Amino acid sequence: MSRPWLGLAVIAILGCVQAGGAQDLYHGGVRRESLERDLRYLASDEFGGRGLGDPELQQALTFVAERFRDLGLEPAYPVKMGAGDPLAGYFQPFHAHGFPPSANVIGVLRGDRSQAPSTVVVGAHVDHLGRDPQLTGDQIYNGADDNASGVAALLEIARILSAERRQSGGSSERTVLFIAFSAEESGLLGSKHYVANPLTPAEDVLAMINLDSVGRLRDDQLIIFGTGTAREFSAILGGLNPSYGFDLAEQKGGVGAADHTSFFVTDIPVLHLFTGPHEDYSKVSDEADKINYAGLATVTEFTAELARYLSYRDRPLTFQPVGEKQLAKMETMRKSGERKVSLGFMPDFSMESGGVKVGPVFPGAAAAEAGIQTGDVIVALGGERLDSLVDYTAALRQHAPGDRITVVLLRDGHEIEREVVVQERR
Ligand SMILES: [Zn+2]
């Protein structure tokens, strides 16, 4: 079921106030070269992997603040005339216990809507894993996909929406907050700090859109988490998608290992865009040359249109707490300490229930040794049936490196069993 008129209506409305420019804005409005330039810059060795506590992360955050200023976004906080750093108003500093201090960067595109919810949030995290001096050869976690891709998209969306508002002088638009989070890799610290110290209360936020790892589009598959967190999301996405042609994999729950989760727990509808797992995830090989730039441009354009639509939408959204059971389970697991073992593959996040679909399998690792293949669906592990990734994680936690466990797989419609020796998680 799709509703193409929805996207067209938005285009028509903006087309009027944007005489002659509509084509530029809505197809090819994204400047692919500028996306690629920003991504390559942030993912370059100059930024040393943007690790929390490293000066290069601060430089990357400053780069984002400068861009927000140059794009015409207002600083989030007032700065006294002549007081120190002119960029200071864009920073939201925080210091989580046991971690080095850092800051989120927030740029405001001011709207004039008076009644709540009057705000839309678009976010992406800047930090990554820094360097590992233990490694021989390449030691820098460039994080091109994770998450220079999301930050490049965030900057481009800010540029497009800011330019449109300047030209349209339109009314009844919501304020759009662009937030570049820090310390995501250390446990969503930046986004947690933001929601505990927000610019506007949660009731005033229509929705939060998160961009994390959007640079590896393959087979046009775009995974969107949180589509069940507002009753209207599926229809909205279905309305926008026909002009883009994504194979949308909707994940209803609002809980995951990314910054949207922090907003979801305060009852804000969330959407998290993701182009899928790959073998370079959290490795030094997550490099800029492996990015699908045309794909990134399309995802950026789609997200810009989504943010634009939400900023103009007349009616509120209906929050649905989909994923709260998972949240409770994750919280219990967090308290019981780190998971110690792995099977050596990346889950394919496009499957939400009915088992855990196997994504890229790491050569030589436990899963590969046991003959587990990409595309297999794990339905039981160590005698426990699995429905979701959370179940899988919970089941694995009960094992130590070297344990031999039975895995039941669904392959070509048949259940098969494999013995796996679980390995230490690195
Ligand atoms: Zn990430």
Side-chain angles (χ1 to χ4, degrees):
M1 193 177 64
S2 67
R3 293 158 73 178
W5 50 265
L6 192 57
L8 293 173
V10 176
I11 291 167
I13 292 163
L14 289 161
C16 302
V17 293
Q18 188 60 53
Q23 208 122 355
D24 272 5
L25 284 171
Y26 300 107
H27 286 282
V30 165
R31 293 180 187 166
R32 190 185 137 171
E33 328 73 62
S34 123
L35 269 177
E36 178 162 353
R37 195 183 331 112
D38 287 342
L39 188 151
R40 286 188 181 278
Y41 183 50
L42 285 164
S44 66
D45 287 356
E46 189 177 328
F47 286 107
R50 310 181 302 281
L52 184 60
D54 296 343
E56 292 95 336
L57 172 59
Q58 185 53 39
Q59 286 159 22
L61 294 166
T62 301
F63 165 73
V64 173
E66 284 167 354
R67 289 290 299 277
F68 279 177
R69 178 199 58 200
D70 297 347
L71 293 171
L73 303 187
E74 294 173 28
Y77 306 98
V79 187
K80 287 195 203 81
M81 286 292 283
D85 180 1
L87 286 174
Y90 291 95
F91 287 94
Q92 182 188 43
F94 62 91
H95 194 174
H97 184 72
F99 293 92
S102 192
N104 298 318
V105 183
I106 311 176
V108 181
L109 184 60
R110 188 75 60 196
D112 61 0
R113 190 167 301 206
S114 47
Q115 77 274 33
S118 71
T119 307
V120 172
V121 175
V122 186
H125 75 89
V126 178
D127 63 298
H128 193 47
L129 303 170
R131 294 184 184 82
D132 183 355
Q134 313 272 55
L135 295 173
T136 49
D138 189 359
Q139 299 182 332
I140 299 175
Y141 291 91
N142 301 80
D145 184 31
D146 189 7
N147 184 30
S149 68
V151 178
L154 182 78
L155 292 172
E156 185 62 6
I157 294 164
R159 184 189 69 75
I160 292 170
L161 296 191
S162 177
E164 283 173 11
R165 286 227 176 151
R166 268 200 305 278
Q167 290 171 40
S168 74
S171 60
S172 202
E173 307 138 315
R174 292 189 171 84
T175 292
V176 184
L177 297 180
F178 292 91
I179 311 185
F181 299 107
S182 186
E184 189 270 353
E185 304 282 7
S186 309
L188 318 182
L189 298 180
S191 55
K192 281 178 182 165
H193 178 81
Y194 176 81
V195 298
N197 304 274
L199 281 173
T200 159
E203 311 80 72
D204 197 33
V205 179
L206 180 78
M208 188 269 180
I209 305 173
N210 190 40
L211 293 147
D212 193 345
S213 304
V214 288
R216 296 275 194 120
L217 189 74
R218 275 153 301 162
D219 305 324
D220 294 324
Q221 189 186 62
L222 179 61
I223 303 172
I224 306 187
F225 293 86
T227 60
T229 64
R231 198 162 59 205
E232 300 82 358
F233 273 157
S234 281
I236 292 171
L237 295 167
L240 293 180
N241 191 40
S243 10
Y244 299 88
F246 289 117
D247 171 11
L248 287 186
E250 294 191 20
Q251 304 284 303
K252 295 201 165 43
V255 173
D259 290 315
H260 61 289
T261 307
S262 305
F263 288 78
F264 172 71
V265 298
T266 66
D267 294 357
I268 294 172
V270 294
L271 290 172
H272 165 45
L273 288 83
F274 176 47
T275 50
H278 50 78
E279 45 288 302
D280 301 310
Y281 173 76
S282 291
K283 297 230 170 74
V284 292
S285 51
D286 179 3
E287 305 264 14
D289 284 340
K290 295 180 177 170
I291 295 295
N292 172 358
Y293 290 98
L296 174 61
T298 315
V299 174
T300 303
E301 198 168 316
F302 177 80
T303 313
E305 188 168 357
L306 176 63
R308 176 190 301 118
Y309 167 74
L310 292 174
S311 76
Y312 278 91
R313 180 184 164 85
D314 291 341
R315 285 151 294 158
L317 296 171
T318 318
F319 177 75
Q320 302 185 130
V322 180
E324 281 191 335
K325 264 192 208 138
Q326 281 192 357
L327 194 67
K329 201 161 181 179
M330 276 170 62
E331 188 60 16
T332 327
M333 288 198 287
R334 194 182 59 76
K335 284 184 182 137
S336 68
E338 282 273 290
R339 170 160 74 89
K340 293 185 185 63
V341 301
S342 92
L343 295 190
F345 70 85
M346 290 284 304
D348 177 334
F349 295 93
S350 65
M351 190 163 161
E352 191 166 29
S353 60
V356 171
K357 194 168 177 188
V358 177
V361 176
F362 302 126
E369 293 292 305
I372 296 174
Q373 302 169 3
T374 301
D376 287 347
V377 175
I378 300 180
V379 292
L381 194 144
E384 280 185 56
R385 297 303 287 189
L386 308 179
D387 187 49
S388 68
L389 261 175
V390 175
D391 298 340
Y392 168 75
T393 307
L396 271 188
R397 298 178 81 86
Q398 299 167 28
H399 296 279
D403 284 2
R404 175 178 291 273
I405 53 177
T406 306
V407 172
V408 182
L409 305 166
L410 204 55
R411 182 185 296 169
D412 303 327
H414 300 284
E415 287 199 357
I416 54 174
E417 283 190 11
R418 289 284 184 273
E419 291 276 292
V420 187
V421 180
V422 296
Q423 63 192 37
E424 191 171 350
R425 191 184 190 206
R426 288 166 298 152

